[in-house]
Amino acid sequence: MSSLQQTRLSRVQNRFGRSLEEGFAGPWWRRSLLIISLLGGFLLGSSLTEHLANAVGFRTISALTTLIACELLVLLRRRVVTSPMAFQWRLLDHLRIGFVYAVVLEAFKVGS
């Protein structure tokens, strides 16, 4: 949207529009893999916490240990970031985001 004046709102809208365009640009398979990774993380998080709760018996401790494992992945990513593996790390990030979202959603459903 072009405006006559460069206000803060118009600059924010232009930046948002450019970032949205960049998100939809590029090959389709990258976007689809990122979405599949996000949904796969959600599926993994919702099913893994339930299975760990049945196996261990402590739902909160099992969720805590899996979240700690996710955060260890973040620490590992910060130490070993290289450009040829940038897309693989983005896949792992989306998987982790979906997983954390599922665990938080399960906690809201349980009420803890």
Side-chain angles (χ1 to χ4, degrees), residues 20-57:
L20 195 61
E21 284 177 8
E22 290 172 1
F24 287 114
W28 61 271
W29 58 271
R30 283 190 179 179
R31 287 191 306 270
S32 62
L33 276 179
L34 290 176
I35 291 171
I36 289 171
S37 175
L38 186 71
L39 293 174
F42 182 79
L43 177 70
L44 183 70
S46 62
S47 63
L48 187 67
T49 54
E50 187 64 36
H51 291 302
L52 283 175
N54 290 335
V56 178

PDB file of all heavy atoms in Angstrom, residues 20-57:
ATOM      1  N   LEU A  20       5.904 -10.870   4.469  1.00  0.00           N
ATOM      2  CA  LEU A  20       4.892 -11.817   4.006  1.00  0.00           C
ATOM      3  C   LEU A  20       5.205 -12.307   2.595  1.00  0.00           C
ATOM      4  O   LEU A  20       5.064 -13.497   2.298  1.00  0.00           O
ATOM      5  CB  LEU A  20       3.517 -11.156   4.053  1.00  0.00           C
ATOM      6  CG  LEU A  20       2.298 -12.053   3.943  1.00  0.00           C
ATOM      7  CD1 LEU A  20       2.288 -13.038   5.107  1.00  0.00           C
ATOM      8  CD2 LEU A  20       1.042 -11.228   3.945  1.00  0.00           C
ATOM      9  N   GLU A  21       5.674 -11.404   1.739  1.00  0.00           N
ATOM     10  CA  GLU A  21       6.068 -11.802   0.388  1.00  0.00           C
ATOM     11  C   GLU A  21       7.249 -12.762   0.414  1.00  0.00           C
ATOM     12  O   GLU A  21       7.294 -13.723  -0.356  1.00  0.00           O
ATOM     13  CB  GLU A  21       6.439 -10.572  -0.432  1.00  0.00           C
ATOM     14  CG  GLU A  21       5.275  -9.765  -0.914  1.00  0.00           C
ATOM     15  CD  GLU A  21       5.713  -8.522  -1.667  1.00  0.00           C
ATOM     16  OE1 GLU A  21       6.934  -8.378  -1.944  1.00  0.00           O
ATOM     17  OE2 GLU A  21       4.855  -7.696  -1.977  1.00  0.00           O
ATOM     18  N   GLU A  22       8.225 -12.489   1.290  1.00  0.00           N
ATOM     19  CA  GLU A  22       9.375 -13.381   1.395  1.00  0.00           C
ATOM     20  C   GLU A  22       8.974 -14.759   1.899  1.00  0.00           C
ATOM     21  O   GLU A  22       9.571 -15.761   1.527  1.00  0.00           O
ATOM     22  CB  GLU A  22      10.419 -12.776   2.320  1.00  0.00           C
ATOM     23  CG  GLU A  22      11.116 -11.570   1.755  1.00  0.00           C
ATOM     24  CD  GLU A  22      11.995 -10.892   2.781  1.00  0.00           C
ATOM     25  OE1 GLU A  22      12.065 -11.376   3.934  1.00  0.00           O
ATOM     26  OE2 GLU A  22      12.595  -9.871   2.439  1.00  0.00           O
ATOM     27  N   GLY A  23       7.951 -14.801   2.759  1.00  0.00           N
ATOM     28  CA  GLY A  23       7.487 -16.084   3.273  1.00  0.00           C
ATOM     29  C   GLY A  23       6.841 -16.941   2.208  1.00  0.00           C
ATOM     30  O   GLY A  23       6.928 -18.162   2.238  1.00  0.00           O
ATOM     31  N   PHE A  24       6.189 -16.305   1.244  1.00  0.00           N
ATOM     32  CA  PHE A  24       5.539 -17.050   0.176  1.00  0.00           C
ATOM     33  C   PHE A  24       6.405 -17.191  -1.064  1.00  0.00           C
ATOM     34  O   PHE A  24       6.013 -17.826  -2.024  1.00  0.00           O
ATOM     35  CB  PHE A  24       4.208 -16.401  -0.206  1.00  0.00           C
ATOM     36  CG  PHE A  24       3.143 -16.626   0.821  1.00  0.00           C
ATOM     37  CD1 PHE A  24       2.633 -15.566   1.543  1.00  0.00           C
ATOM     38  CD2 PHE A  24       2.669 -17.889   1.071  1.00  0.00           C
ATOM     39  CE1 PHE A  24       1.655 -15.760   2.493  1.00  0.00           C
ATOM     40  CE2 PHE A  24       1.701 -18.105   2.030  1.00  0.00           C
ATOM     41  CZ  PHE A  24       1.195 -17.041   2.743  1.00  0.00           C
ATOM     42  N   ALA A  25       7.579 -16.593  -1.061  1.00  0.00           N
ATOM     43  CA  ALA A  25       8.483 -16.732  -2.199  1.00  0.00           C
ATOM     44  C   ALA A  25       9.326 -17.989  -2.027  1.00  0.00           C
ATOM     45  O   ALA A  25       9.454 -18.533  -0.936  1.00  0.00           O
ATOM     46  CB  ALA A  25       9.388 -15.512  -2.300  1.00  0.00           C
ATOM     47  N   GLY A  26       9.902 -18.440  -3.095  1.00  0.00           N
ATOM     48  CA  GLY A  26      10.775 -19.598  -3.024  1.00  0.00           C
ATOM     49  C   GLY A  26      10.062 -20.864  -3.463  1.00  0.00           C
ATOM     50  O   GLY A  26       8.893 -20.868  -3.826  1.00  0.00           O
ATOM     51  N   PRO A  27      10.791 -21.957  -3.425  1.00  0.00           N
ATOM     52  CA  PRO A  27      10.217 -23.231  -3.874  1.00  0.00           C
ATOM     53  C   PRO A  27       9.106 -23.725  -2.945  1.00  0.00           C
ATOM     54  O   PRO A  27       9.151 -23.521  -1.735  1.00  0.00           O
ATOM     55  CB  PRO A  27      11.395 -24.190  -3.856  1.00  0.00           C
ATOM     56  CG  PRO A  27      12.532 -23.484  -3.275  1.00  0.00           C
ATOM     57  CD  PRO A  27      12.173 -22.059  -3.059  1.00  0.00           C
ATOM     58  N   TRP A  28       8.133 -24.360  -3.523  1.00  0.00           N
ATOM     59  CA  TRP A  28       6.968 -24.827  -2.778  1.00  0.00           C
ATOM     60  C   TRP A  28       7.335 -25.946  -1.822  1.00  0.00           C
ATOM     61  O   TRP A  28       6.723 -26.105  -0.778  1.00  0.00           O
ATOM     62  CB  TRP A  28       5.882 -25.292  -3.732  1.00  0.00           C
ATOM     63  CG  TRP A  28       6.306 -26.431  -4.598  1.00  0.00           C
ATOM     64  CD1 TRP A  28       6.900 -26.364  -5.805  1.00  0.00           C
ATOM     65  CD2 TRP A  28       6.207 -27.814  -4.284  1.00  0.00           C
ATOM     66  NE1 TRP A  28       7.188 -27.605  -6.275  1.00  0.00           N
ATOM     67  CE2 TRP A  28       6.750 -28.525  -5.356  1.00  0.00           C
ATOM     68  CE3 TRP A  28       5.703 -28.524  -3.207  1.00  0.00           C
ATOM     69  CZ2 TRP A  28       6.826 -29.900  -5.383  1.00  0.00           C
ATOM     70  CZ3 TRP A  28       5.763 -29.911  -3.239  1.00  0.00           C
ATOM     71  CH2 TRP A  28       6.319 -30.574  -4.322  1.00  0.00           C
ATOM     72  N   TRP A  29       8.328 -26.742  -2.153  1.00  0.00           N
ATOM     73  CA  TRP A  29       8.642 -27.896  -1.321  1.00  0.00           C
ATOM     74  C   TRP A  29       9.232 -27.479   0.019  1.00  0.00           C
ATOM     75  O   TRP A  29       9.044 -28.165   1.016  1.00  0.00           O
ATOM     76  CB  TRP A  29       9.575 -28.865  -2.043  1.00  0.00           C
ATOM     77  CG  TRP A  29      10.880 -28.272  -2.480  1.00  0.00           C
ATOM     78  CD1 TRP A  29      11.144 -27.651  -3.662  1.00  0.00           C
ATOM     79  CD2 TRP A  29      12.090 -28.234  -1.730  1.00  0.00           C
ATOM     80  NE1 TRP A  29      12.440 -27.223  -3.693  1.00  0.00           N
ATOM     81  CE2 TRP A  29      13.048 -27.575  -2.523  1.00  0.00           C
ATOM     82  CE3 TRP A  29      12.452 -28.690  -0.477  1.00  0.00           C
ATOM     83  CZ2 TRP A  29      14.347 -27.359  -2.094  1.00  0.00           C
ATOM     84  CZ3 TRP A  29      13.751 -28.469  -0.049  1.00  0.00           C
ATOM     85  CH2 TRP A  29      14.681 -27.813  -0.866  1.00  0.00           C
ATOM     86  N   ARG A  30       9.931 -26.337   0.063  1.00  0.00           N
ATOM     87  CA  ARG A  30      10.456 -25.875   1.347  1.00  0.00           C
ATOM     88  C   ARG A  30       9.330 -25.471   2.288  1.00  0.00           C
ATOM     89  O   ARG A  30       9.333 -25.819   3.466  1.00  0.00           O
ATOM     90  CB  ARG A  30      11.397 -24.700   1.153  1.00  0.00           C
ATOM     91  CG  ARG A  30      12.742 -25.112   0.668  1.00  0.00           C
ATOM     92  CD  ARG A  30      13.689 -23.968   0.716  1.00  0.00           C
ATOM     93  NE  ARG A  30      14.990 -24.426   0.251  1.00  0.00           N
ATOM     94  CZ  ARG A  30      16.037 -23.677   0.153  1.00  0.00           C
ATOM     95  NH1 ARG A  30      15.961 -22.408   0.481  1.00  0.00           N
ATOM     96  NH2 ARG A  30      17.166 -24.158  -0.264  1.00  0.00           N
ATOM     97  N   ARG A  31       8.376 -24.728   1.745  1.00  0.00           N
ATOM     98  CA  ARG A  31       7.247 -24.320   2.580  1.00  0.00           C
ATOM     99  C   ARG A  31       6.458 -25.523   3.060  1.00  0.00           C
ATOM    100  O   ARG A  31       6.045 -25.601   4.215  1.00  0.00           O
ATOM    101  CB  ARG A  31       6.340 -23.370   1.808  1.00  0.00           C
ATOM    102  CG  ARG A  31       6.923 -22.003   1.622  1.00  0.00           C
ATOM    103  CD  ARG A  31       5.889 -21.049   1.088  1.00  0.00           C
ATOM    104  NE  ARG A  31       5.230 -21.498  -0.116  1.00  0.00           N
ATOM    105  CZ  ARG A  31       5.649 -21.249  -1.352  1.00  0.00           C
ATOM    106  NH1 ARG A  31       6.744 -20.550  -1.541  1.00  0.00           N
ATOM    107  NH2 ARG A  31       4.980 -21.686  -2.395  1.00  0.00           N
ATOM    108  N   SER A  32       6.233 -26.468   2.163  1.00  0.00           N
ATOM    109  CA  SER A  32       5.447 -27.640   2.559  1.00  0.00           C
ATOM    110  C   SER A  32       6.200 -28.495   3.582  1.00  0.00           C
ATOM    111  O   SER A  32       5.598 -29.014   4.518  1.00  0.00           O
ATOM    112  CB  SER A  32       5.066 -28.465   1.341  1.00  0.00           C
ATOM    113  OG  SER A  32       6.216 -28.964   0.691  1.00  0.00           O
ATOM    114  N   LEU A  33       7.518 -28.609   3.437  1.00  0.00           N
ATOM    115  CA  LEU A  33       8.287 -29.361   4.436  1.00  0.00           C
ATOM    116  C   LEU A  33       8.275 -28.676   5.794  1.00  0.00           C
ATOM    117  O   LEU A  33       8.207 -29.340   6.831  1.00  0.00           O
ATOM    118  CB  LEU A  33       9.729 -29.549   3.966  1.00  0.00           C
ATOM    119  CG  LEU A  33       9.991 -30.722   3.044  1.00  0.00           C
ATOM    120  CD1 LEU A  33      11.459 -30.753   2.639  1.00  0.00           C
ATOM    121  CD2 LEU A  33       9.609 -32.015   3.697  1.00  0.00           C
ATOM    122  N   LEU A  34       8.319 -27.349   5.797  1.00  0.00           N
ATOM    123  CA  LEU A  34       8.273 -26.630   7.071  1.00  0.00           C
ATOM    124  C   LEU A  34       6.916 -26.799   7.744  1.00  0.00           C
ATOM    125  O   LEU A  34       6.838 -26.986   8.956  1.00  0.00           O
ATOM    126  CB  LEU A  34       8.593 -25.156   6.858  1.00  0.00           C
ATOM    127  CG  LEU A  34      10.047 -24.846   6.485  1.00  0.00           C
ATOM    128  CD1 LEU A  34      10.210 -23.363   6.200  1.00  0.00           C
ATOM    129  CD2 LEU A  34      10.994 -25.292   7.567  1.00  0.00           C
ATOM    130  N   ILE A  35       5.842 -26.764   6.962  1.00  0.00           N
ATOM    131  CA  ILE A  35       4.504 -26.957   7.531  1.00  0.00           C
ATOM    132  C   ILE A  35       4.326 -28.386   8.027  1.00  0.00           C
ATOM    133  O   ILE A  35       3.778 -28.626   9.110  1.00  0.00           O
ATOM    134  CB  ILE A  35       3.419 -26.570   6.505  1.00  0.00           C
ATOM    135  CG1 ILE A  35       3.437 -25.062   6.291  1.00  0.00           C
ATOM    136  CG2 ILE A  35       2.047 -27.025   6.956  1.00  0.00           C
ATOM    137  CD1 ILE A  35       2.562 -24.592   5.164  1.00  0.00           C
ATOM    138  N   ILE A  36       4.824 -29.347   7.255  1.00  0.00           N
ATOM    139  CA  ILE A  36       4.751 -30.748   7.676  1.00  0.00           C
ATOM    140  C   ILE A  36       5.574 -30.962   8.939  1.00  0.00           C
ATOM    141  O   ILE A  36       5.166 -31.696   9.850  1.00  0.00           O
ATOM    142  CB  ILE A  36       5.206 -31.680   6.533  1.00  0.00           C
ATOM    143  CG1 ILE A  36       4.153 -31.692   5.434  1.00  0.00           C
ATOM    144  CG2 ILE A  36       5.489 -33.084   7.038  1.00  0.00           C
ATOM    145  CD1 ILE A  36       4.588 -32.396   4.179  1.00  0.00           C
ATOM    146  N   SER A  37       6.720 -30.306   9.030  1.00  0.00           N
ATOM    147  CA  SER A  37       7.544 -30.414  10.229  1.00  0.00           C
ATOM    148  C   SER A  37       6.841 -29.818  11.440  1.00  0.00           C
ATOM    149  O   SER A  37       6.878 -30.391  12.537  1.00  0.00           O
ATOM    150  CB  SER A  37       8.873 -29.703   9.987  1.00  0.00           C
ATOM    151  OG  SER A  37       9.647 -29.690  11.138  1.00  0.00           O
ATOM    152  N   LEU A  38       6.172 -28.694  11.262  1.00  0.00           N
ATOM    153  CA  LEU A  38       5.423 -28.074  12.356  1.00  0.00           C
ATOM    154  C   LEU A  38       4.294 -28.985  12.829  1.00  0.00           C
ATOM    155  O   LEU A  38       4.119 -29.216  14.027  1.00  0.00           O
ATOM    156  CB  LEU A  38       4.871 -26.729  11.899  1.00  0.00           C
ATOM    157  CG  LEU A  38       4.182 -25.871  12.929  1.00  0.00           C
ATOM    158  CD1 LEU A  38       5.203 -25.324  13.909  1.00  0.00           C
ATOM    159  CD2 LEU A  38       3.463 -24.737  12.248  1.00  0.00           C
ATOM    160  N   LEU A  39       3.537 -29.528  11.879  1.00  0.00           N
ATOM    161  CA  LEU A  39       2.435 -30.422  12.239  1.00  0.00           C
ATOM    162  C   LEU A  39       2.943 -31.747  12.809  1.00  0.00           C
ATOM    163  O   LEU A  39       2.324 -32.322  13.701  1.00  0.00           O
ATOM    164  CB  LEU A  39       1.547 -30.667  11.020  1.00  0.00           C
ATOM    165  CG  LEU A  39       0.777 -29.450  10.529  1.00  0.00           C
ATOM    166  CD1 LEU A  39       0.042 -29.773   9.234  1.00  0.00           C
ATOM    167  CD2 LEU A  39      -0.171 -28.947  11.576  1.00  0.00           C
ATOM    168  N   GLY A  40       4.083 -32.222  12.302  1.00  0.00           N
ATOM    169  CA  GLY A  40       4.672 -33.438  12.850  1.00  0.00           C
ATOM    170  C   GLY A  40       5.134 -33.248  14.290  1.00  0.00           C
ATOM    171  O   GLY A  40       4.992 -34.139  15.119  1.00  0.00           O
ATOM    172  N   GLY A  41       5.684 -32.076  14.586  1.00  0.00           N
ATOM    173  CA  GLY A  41       6.070 -31.771  15.959  1.00  0.00           C
ATOM    174  C   GLY A  41       4.866 -31.714  16.866  1.00  0.00           C
ATOM    175  O   GLY A  41       4.914 -32.168  18.016  1.00  0.00           O
ATOM    176  N   PHE A  42       3.763 -31.155  16.366  1.00  0.00           N
ATOM    177  CA  PHE A  42       2.540 -31.116  17.162  1.00  0.00           C
ATOM    178  C   PHE A  42       2.028 -32.525  17.430  1.00  0.00           C
ATOM    179  O   PHE A  42       1.638 -32.857  18.550  1.00  0.00           O
ATOM    180  CB  PHE A  42       1.473 -30.295  16.442  1.00  0.00           C
ATOM    181  CG  PHE A  42       0.203 -30.160  17.220  1.00  0.00           C
ATOM    182  CD1 PHE A  42       0.113 -29.247  18.240  1.00  0.00           C
ATOM    183  CD2 PHE A  42      -0.886 -30.960  16.939  1.00  0.00           C
ATOM    184  CE1 PHE A  42      -1.051 -29.122  18.980  1.00  0.00           C
ATOM    185  CE2 PHE A  42      -2.046 -30.848  17.658  1.00  0.00           C
ATOM    186  CZ  PHE A  42      -2.131 -29.921  18.689  1.00  0.00           C
ATOM    187  N   LEU A  43       2.031 -33.373  16.410  1.00  0.00           N
ATOM    188  CA  LEU A  43       1.593 -34.763  16.581  1.00  0.00           C
ATOM    189  C   LEU A  43       2.503 -35.500  17.551  1.00  0.00           C
ATOM    190  O   LEU A  43       2.032 -36.220  18.446  1.00  0.00           O
ATOM    191  CB  LEU A  43       1.568 -35.470  15.227  1.00  0.00           C
ATOM    192  CG  LEU A  43       1.192 -36.943  15.257  1.00  0.00           C
ATOM    193  CD1 LEU A  43      -0.278 -37.092  15.605  1.00  0.00           C
ATOM    194  CD2 LEU A  43       1.489 -37.583  13.927  1.00  0.00           C
ATOM    195  N   LEU A  44       3.797 -35.300  17.412  1.00  0.00           N
ATOM    196  CA  LEU A  44       4.752 -35.942  18.299  1.00  0.00           C
ATOM    197  C   LEU A  44       4.559 -35.483  19.739  1.00  0.00           C
ATOM    198  O   LEU A  44       4.562 -36.293  20.668  1.00  0.00           O
ATOM    199  CB  LEU A  44       6.176 -35.636  17.834  1.00  0.00           C
ATOM    200  CG  LEU A  44       7.313 -36.286  18.591  1.00  0.00           C
ATOM    201  CD1 LEU A  44       7.325 -37.773  18.305  1.00  0.00           C
ATOM    202  CD2 LEU A  44       8.603 -35.646  18.195  1.00  0.00           C
ATOM    203  N   GLY A  45       4.360 -34.187  19.922  1.00  0.00           N
ATOM    204  CA  GLY A  45       4.185 -33.666  21.270  1.00  0.00           C
ATOM    205  C   GLY A  45       2.902 -34.128  21.925  1.00  0.00           C
ATOM    206  O   GLY A  45       2.883 -34.460  23.113  1.00  0.00           O
ATOM    207  N   SER A  46       1.824 -34.165  21.171  1.00  0.00           N
ATOM    208  CA  SER A  46       0.554 -34.581  21.773  1.00  0.00           C
ATOM    209  C   SER A  46       0.522 -36.075  22.065  1.00  0.00           C
ATOM    210  O   SER A  46      -0.065 -36.503  23.058  1.00  0.00           O
ATOM    211  CB  SER A  46      -0.616 -34.185  20.878  1.00  0.00           C
ATOM    212  OG  SER A  46      -0.525 -34.840  19.642  1.00  0.00           O
ATOM    213  N   SER A  47       1.163 -36.876  21.252  1.00  0.00           N
ATOM    214  CA  SER A  47       1.137 -38.316  21.504  1.00  0.00           C
ATOM    215  C   SER A  47       2.228 -38.758  22.474  1.00  0.00           C
ATOM    216  O   SER A  47       2.011 -39.641  23.305  1.00  0.00           O
ATOM    217  CB  SER A  47       1.262 -39.082  20.189  1.00  0.00           C
ATOM    218  OG  SER A  47       2.503 -38.804  19.585  1.00  0.00           O
ATOM    219  N   LEU A  48       3.395 -38.119  22.410  1.00  0.00           N
ATOM    220  CA  LEU A  48       4.496 -38.544  23.271  1.00  0.00           C
ATOM    221  C   LEU A  48       4.217 -38.254  24.739  1.00  0.00           C
ATOM    222  O   LEU A  48       4.528 -39.080  25.606  1.00  0.00           O
ATOM    223  CB  LEU A  48       5.797 -37.867  22.839  1.00  0.00           C
ATOM    224  CG  LEU A  48       7.061 -38.335  23.523  1.00  0.00           C
ATOM    225  CD1 LEU A  48       7.364 -39.776  23.135  1.00  0.00           C
ATOM    226  CD2 LEU A  48       8.220 -37.439  23.165  1.00  0.00           C
ATOM    227  N   THR A  49       3.628 -37.106  25.033  1.00  0.00           N
ATOM    228  CA  THR A  49       3.337 -36.814  26.440  1.00  0.00           C
ATOM    229  C   THR A  49       2.302 -37.789  27.003  1.00  0.00           C
ATOM    230  O   THR A  49       2.380 -38.172  28.166  1.00  0.00           O
ATOM    231  CB  THR A  49       2.844 -35.375  26.611  1.00  0.00           C
ATOM    232  OG1 THR A  49       1.737 -35.157  25.755  1.00  0.00           O
ATOM    233  CG2 THR A  49       3.938 -34.380  26.315  1.00  0.00           C
ATOM    234  N   GLU A  50       1.359 -38.183  26.186  1.00  0.00           N
ATOM    235  CA  GLU A  50       0.350 -39.144  26.642  1.00  0.00           C
ATOM    236  C   GLU A  50       0.972 -40.517  26.887  1.00  0.00           C
ATOM    237  O   GLU A  50       0.687 -41.166  27.897  1.00  0.00           O
ATOM    238  CB  GLU A  50      -0.772 -39.252  25.616  1.00  0.00           C
ATOM    239  CG  GLU A  50      -1.931 -40.085  26.065  1.00  0.00           C
ATOM    240  CD  GLU A  50      -2.643 -39.487  27.266  1.00  0.00           C
ATOM    241  OE1 GLU A  50      -2.733 -38.254  27.348  1.00  0.00           O
ATOM    242  OE2 GLU A  50      -3.104 -40.269  28.124  1.00  0.00           O
ATOM    243  N   HIS A  51       1.843 -40.961  25.979  1.00  0.00           N
ATOM    244  CA  HIS A  51       2.487 -42.267  26.159  1.00  0.00           C
ATOM    245  C   HIS A  51       3.462 -42.254  27.324  1.00  0.00           C
ATOM    246  O   HIS A  51       3.555 -43.234  28.068  1.00  0.00           O
ATOM    247  CB  HIS A  51       3.198 -42.700  24.883  1.00  0.00           C
ATOM    248  CG  HIS A  51       2.261 -43.041  23.773  1.00  0.00           C
ATOM    249  ND1 HIS A  51       1.292 -44.012  23.886  1.00  0.00           N
ATOM    250  CD2 HIS A  51       2.116 -42.526  22.530  1.00  0.00           C
ATOM    251  CE1 HIS A  51       0.597 -44.090  22.765  1.00  0.00           C
ATOM    252  NE2 HIS A  51       1.075 -43.181  21.926  1.00  0.00           N
ATOM    253  N   LEU A  52       4.182 -41.151  27.497  1.00  0.00           N
ATOM    254  CA  LEU A  52       5.087 -41.062  28.642  1.00  0.00           C
ATOM    255  C   LEU A  52       4.320 -41.005  29.954  1.00  0.00           C
ATOM    256  O   LEU A  52       4.775 -41.521  30.968  1.00  0.00           O
ATOM    257  CB  LEU A  52       5.996 -39.838  28.507  1.00  0.00           C
ATOM    258  CG  LEU A  52       7.154 -39.975  27.530  1.00  0.00           C
ATOM    259  CD1 LEU A  52       7.894 -38.658  27.416  1.00  0.00           C
ATOM    260  CD2 LEU A  52       8.084 -41.079  27.940  1.00  0.00           C
ATOM    261  N   ALA A  53       3.164 -40.385  29.933  1.00  0.00           N
ATOM    262  CA  ALA A  53       2.353 -40.328  31.158  1.00  0.00           C
ATOM    263  C   ALA A  53       1.871 -41.720  31.549  1.00  0.00           C
ATOM    264  O   ALA A  53       1.828 -42.066  32.727  1.00  0.00           O
ATOM    265  CB  ALA A  53       1.166 -39.400  30.953  1.00  0.00           C
ATOM    266  N   ASN A  54       1.522 -42.522  30.552  1.00  0.00           N
ATOM    267  CA  ASN A  54       1.088 -43.888  30.851  1.00  0.00           C
ATOM    268  C   ASN A  54       2.254 -44.774  31.262  1.00  0.00           C
ATOM    269  O   ASN A  54       2.111 -45.631  32.127  1.00  0.00           O
ATOM    270  CB  ASN A  54       0.388 -44.503  29.640  1.00  0.00           C
ATOM    271  CG  ASN A  54      -0.954 -43.851  29.387  1.00  0.00           C
ATOM    272  OD1 ASN A  54      -1.574 -43.312  30.294  1.00  0.00           O
ATOM    273  ND2 ASN A  54      -1.401 -43.890  28.142  1.00  0.00           N
ATOM    274  N   ALA A  55       3.411 -44.562  30.663  1.00  0.00           N
ATOM    275  CA  ALA A  55       4.565 -45.414  30.969  1.00  0.00           C
ATOM    276  C   ALA A  55       5.190 -45.045  32.310  1.00  0.00           C
ATOM    277  O   ALA A  55       5.476 -45.910  33.129  1.00  0.00           O
ATOM    278  CB  ALA A  55       5.603 -45.293  29.858  1.00  0.00           C
ATOM    279  N   VAL A  56       5.382 -43.763  32.558  1.00  0.00           N
ATOM    280  CA  VAL A  56       6.062 -43.323  33.770  1.00  0.00           C
ATOM    281  C   VAL A  56       5.070 -43.093  34.892  1.00  0.00           C
ATOM    282  O   VAL A  56       5.348 -43.392  36.051  1.00  0.00           O
ATOM    283  CB  VAL A  56       6.879 -42.039  33.483  1.00  0.00           C
ATOM    284  CG1 VAL A  56       7.550 -41.531  34.738  1.00  0.00           C
ATOM    285  CG2 VAL A  56       7.910 -42.300  32.407  1.00  0.00           C
ATOM    286  N   GLY A  57       3.925 -42.543  34.566  1.00  0.00           N
ATOM    287  CA  GLY A  57       2.923 -42.266  35.576  1.00  0.00           C
ATOM    288  C   GLY A  57       2.907 -40.826  36.033  1.00  0.00           C
ATOM    289  O   GLY A  57       1.972 -40.393  36.675  1.00  0.00           O
TER     290      GLY A  57
END
